[in-house]
Amino acid sequence: MDPEEGDVRNEWPLLLWTSVAVMVPVLLTLWCSAQRSKWKSHRKEFFRQSKHGWHYTDLFSKPTYCCVCSQHILHGAFCDCCGVCADEQCLRRADHSLACKEIMAPCSPDGSMEHRWVRGNVPLASYCAVCKQQCGTQPKLCDLRCVWCQTTVHDDCIDALADHLCNLGEFHHLIIPPHYLYHVNKLRRRHPEEYAKLAPSRGSGWTPVLVLANTRSGNNMGEGLLGEFRTLLNPVQVFDLSRLTPSKALQLCTLLPPGSVRVLVCGGDGTVGWVLDAIDSMKLKGQDPFIPRVTILPLGTGNDLSNTLGWGAGYAGEIPVEQVLRNVLEAEVVRMDRWKVQVASKGAYFRKPKVLSMNNYFSVGPDALMALSFHTHREKTPSFFSSRIINKLELDGERLDLPSLEGIIVCNISYWGGGCRLWEGMGDEPCPPTRLDDGLLEVMGVFGSFHCAQIQVKLANPVRLGQAHTVRLLLKSSKMPMQVDGEPWAQGPCTITITHKTQALMLYHSAEQTDDDDGSSASETESATKEVESH
């Protein structure tokens, strides 16, 4: 072999490692730069210029007049942020001549803010702030409303409010004022801690709320709710989760005083879990001081977590959005355990276990079968359930001797199956209390689908197996339905381990529960859930 050729071959490893050593920092720098650019481009969304959010309709709920030409509207649109209405011919002029509710704007040197009036189409049963008589009673474009404090006033009385300043109204504790974002925009190149310096100007009780709505939940009620919340709050606080993920929406928390933010999730328990996972990712990124408190406006059906926290089994517009915000203001902070569910398939030695987060419950057997809609498969294979589907169940490392069960249900909350108090049952047997924050799971067994149905109509109790900090199940069936918080799948032989993951900060509503058919009161749930944060 040529000595020079041997030297070249010996140099190849050195050249390769040198190239890697040079390229890795370059690639890492490029990736970090891309992430920063991505965050900067997203953060610009919080400081965007205000624009009308038009919704087209030919069915207004009351006689409506165009804010441009003053004529009665037959076919037109309304802005769900500021309330401006325009017919089809005047929409372009309205965009140019009528400003929308300002997301970001400077204020006076003394911090005061002037009213922002919109003329005409005031809400029904509005009363003048000056003469106390009803507004909007004339069949024409008349009277005015402030888009921030919702004050209404007659055209003839407006001069009496010439020196009157806007205080943002009843929900000033929940609103992010436009001048706050204006100052944050000037400081955003500095360290986020500097934003906290702006907080004292809002007062010690300032707890801004972010509204995150799943428009696919609750017969598409979310779309209408978004508009109502934009009317009462700063539009920048209201997010449509079909357009923006919770992770991106929650970045607004980093522009607000640490520990002050409340998040109202409009959706089902699955949407709440999605938001809580996003909050956990904030913790992983070292953003703990900005972790918000989460509350729920339950849409759709089920909503066992919402029921447990006192927000009811479902919202169908029975109370106005204003009352929803009042409830958020009055709610108490509680801690809620979150759990990690690891599913390790048998024989998958080189595959990572499936890992999921659990807030409500885990189940295997008939309960999960209903969620998975496996009825057809069950008819084809009557032996789908054997008398002993569970080979082993351990609670905190102690193995249990089990009866011939067809299913296991592991609960973190007091409600299951769309409003059933599973652990407490019919109340005919004493049982340890349940809590959201005690680091314990309640483990129960069921004999079959008919037993599940009996439990839901309060004709039977589950088999209470015990409470534990760690639950481990070994399943031997070839194909079993299982679910975590309503998300089902079919699973082969595996080992399931459920361990404590973290705690979330939730808001608890102490008003009367919506499911009181059995005479139970809110105090039962209250005793099980309330441990108000010490600070």
Side-chain angles (χ1 to χ4, degrees):
M1 186 195 317
D2 190 338
E4 292 185 3
E5 184 179 347
D7 291 341
V8 170
R9 288 184 178 181
N10 292 333
E11 288 177 358
W12 267 111
L14 179 62
L15 291 172
L16 180 62
W17 283 109
T18 302
S19 300
V20 170
V22 171
M23 290 301 296
V24 167
V26 171
L27 293 173
L28 186 61
T29 301
L30 290 173
W31 182 84
C32 292
S33 176
Q35 294 299 310
R36 283 194 297 270
S37 299
K38 190 176 180 182
W39 160 230
K40 286 180 180 179
S41 64
H42 170 63
R43 184 151 62 168
K44 287 180 181 178
E45 181 69 13
F46 298 139
F47 304 105
R48 68 186 186 277
Q49 287 189 344
S50 303
K51 57 183 180 181
H52 291 293
W54 295 115
H55 289 261
Y56 297 87
T57 182
D58 56 1
L59 186 64
F60 289 91
S61 60
K62 62 175 183 176
T64 304
Y65 301 88
C66 178
C67 293
V68 177
C69 67
S70 301
Q71 298 301 307
H72 183 263
I73 298 177
L74 294 177
H75 305 284
F78 64 94
C79 173
D80 67 359
C81 296
C82 66
V84 164
C85 301
D87 59 30
E88 290 180 329
Q89 293 74 24
C90 297
L91 273 175
R92 183 172 294 183
R93 289 174 59 193
D95 263 327
H96 288 88
S97 62
L98 300 175
C100 190
K101 196 174 185 177
E102 303 89 347
I103 289 173
M104 176 181 63
C107 63
S108 302
D110 60 356
S112 60
M113 177 175 165
E114 295 183 354
H115 287 287
R116 164 72 173 82
W117 300 108
V118 167
R119 188 161 181 262
N121 306 307
V122 298
L124 295 172
S126 298
Y127 289 87
C128 177
V130 177
C131 70
K132 312 303 179 185
Q133 299 299 310
Q134 191 168 352
C135 292
T137 55
Q138 301 181 57
K140 63 178 183 179
L141 188 77
C142 63
D143 304 335
L144 302 105
R145 175 183 63 91
C146 174
V147 298
W148 288 107
C149 66
Q150 312 306 319
T151 295
T152 53
V153 62
H154 288 124
D155 290 324
D156 296 337
C157 300
I158 187 65
D159 291 341
L161 296 180
D163 299 324
H164 190 269
L165 297 174
C166 179
N167 62 359
L168 298 178
E170 178 184 359
F171 303 112
H172 63 278
H173 288 302
L174 300 176
I175 295 174
I176 301 177
H179 59 77
Y180 178 89
L181 283 180
Y182 176 81
H183 290 300
V184 168
N185 190 33
K186 295 175 67 175
L187 292 172
R188 63 176 172 162
R189 294 174 180 264
R190 306 179 188 177
H191 196 278
E193 290 179 357
E194 299 220 10
Y195 302 141
K197 297 178 181 178
L198 299 174
S201 64
R202 300 299 314 139
S204 59
W206 187 42
T207 54
V209 64
L210 307 186
V211 178
L212 278 59
N214 186 347
T215 54
R216 299 184 181 91
S217 297
N219 296 322
N220 298 317
M221 280 192 64
E223 186 67 34
L225 286 170
L226 284 170
E228 293 186 65
F229 283 117
R230 290 191 188 106
T231 298
L232 296 173
L233 305 171
N234 190 326
V236 79
Q237 299 173 242
V238 184
F239 300 92
D240 182 350
L241 293 182
S242 67
R243 300 183 180 182
L244 198 69
T245 64
S247 296
K248 292 182 178 179
L250 290 171
Q251 289 299 324
L252 182 55
C253 295
T254 63
L255 305 180
L256 298 167
S260 67
V261 183
R262 300 187 170 202
V263 171
L264 174 60
V265 181
C266 304
D269 286 350
T271 306
V272 178
W274 189 19
V275 172
L276 292 178
D277 285 340
I279 291 174
D280 281 347
S281 70
M282 292 178 67
K283 295 178 184 177
L284 294 174
K285 294 176 182 177
Q287 298 176 339
D288 288 58
F290 304 100
I291 298 304
R293 284 75 170 138
V294 177
T295 185
I296 308 169
L297 183 62
L299 304 181
T301 57
N303 302 307
D304 291 303
L305 178 57
S306 170
N307 226 349
T308 298
L309 291 167
W311 299 102
Y315 177 78
E318 61 275 9
I319 62 172
V321 167
E322 289 85 351
Q323 186 57 48
V324 171
L325 292 177
R326 293 183 193 108
N327 292 341
V328 171
L329 272 171
E330 297 168 359
E332 300 176 76
V333 181
V334 299
R335 293 183 179 273
M336 183 185 76
D337 295 319
R338 302 193 73 217
W339 300 84
K340 180 171 69 174
V341 180
Q342 289 183 297
V343 183
S345 299
K346 185 178 179 180
Y349 300 109
F350 302 104
R351 192 189 311 164
K352 289 185 178 180
K354 183 177 183 177
V355 180
L356 305 111
S357 297
M358 185 187 88
N359 305 308
N360 298 2
Y361 36 71
F362 163 87
S363 67
V364 56
D367 174 42
L369 175 66
M370 291 183 282
L372 192 58
S373 300
F374 251 27
H375 300 288
T376 303
H377 181 68
R378 187 178 187 183
E379 289 173 4
K380 292 179 180 179
T381 54
S383 60
F384 186 77
F385 289 116
S386 62
S387 60
R388 289 296 300 271
I389 63 166
I390 299 164
N391 192 31
K392 184 189 294 184
L393 173 63
E394 293 180 358
L395 304 185
D396 290 338
E398 182 177 344
R399 184 172 178 176
L400 269 63
D401 293 326
L402 299 174
S404 296
L405 299 171
E406 283 194 5
I408 292 290
I409 303 172
V410 182
C411 284
N412 179 48
I413 61 176
S414 57
Y415 281 89
W416 162 87
C420 176
R421 292 178 181 269
L422 189 64
W423 180 256
E424 290 85 353
M426 295 181 292
D428 56 355
E429 300 175 12
C431 59
T434 62
R435 291 182 64 92
L436 280 174
D437 58 356
D438 58 1
L440 287 172
L441 294 164
E442 286 69 49
V443 185
M444 290 145 284
V446 292
F447 294 115
S449 299
F450 184 66
H451 188 202
C452 284
Q454 286 180 311
I455 292 170
Q456 287 191 306
V457 297
K458 302 174 184 176
L459 292 177
N461 284 331
V463 180
R464 297 187 185 96
L465 300 174
Q467 294 175 298
H469 299 88
T470 301
V471 176
R472 184 172 178 267
L473 299 94
L474 180 62
L475 304 182
K476 64 180 181 179
S477 177
S478 59
K479 207 70 171 176
M480 281 298 302
M482 60 180 62
Q483 67 160 331
V484 172
D485 290 352
E487 297 295 327
W489 73 97
Q491 177 67 46
C494 65
T495 300
I496 300 153
T497 307
I498 306 177
T499 54
H500 193 269
K501 178 184 178 182
T502 185
Q503 283 191 328
L505 296 177
M506 310 296 290
L507 292 180
Y508 176 80
H509 181 44
S510 59
E512 185 177 355
Q513 294 287 322
T514 58
D515 183 14
D516 282 334
D517 295 338
D518 57 357
S520 56
S521 66
S523 61
E524 296 176 19
T525 305
E526 192 170 353
S527 64
T529 60
K530 282 207 285 184
E531 180 169 299
V532 180
E533 199 178 11
S534 58
H535 63 280

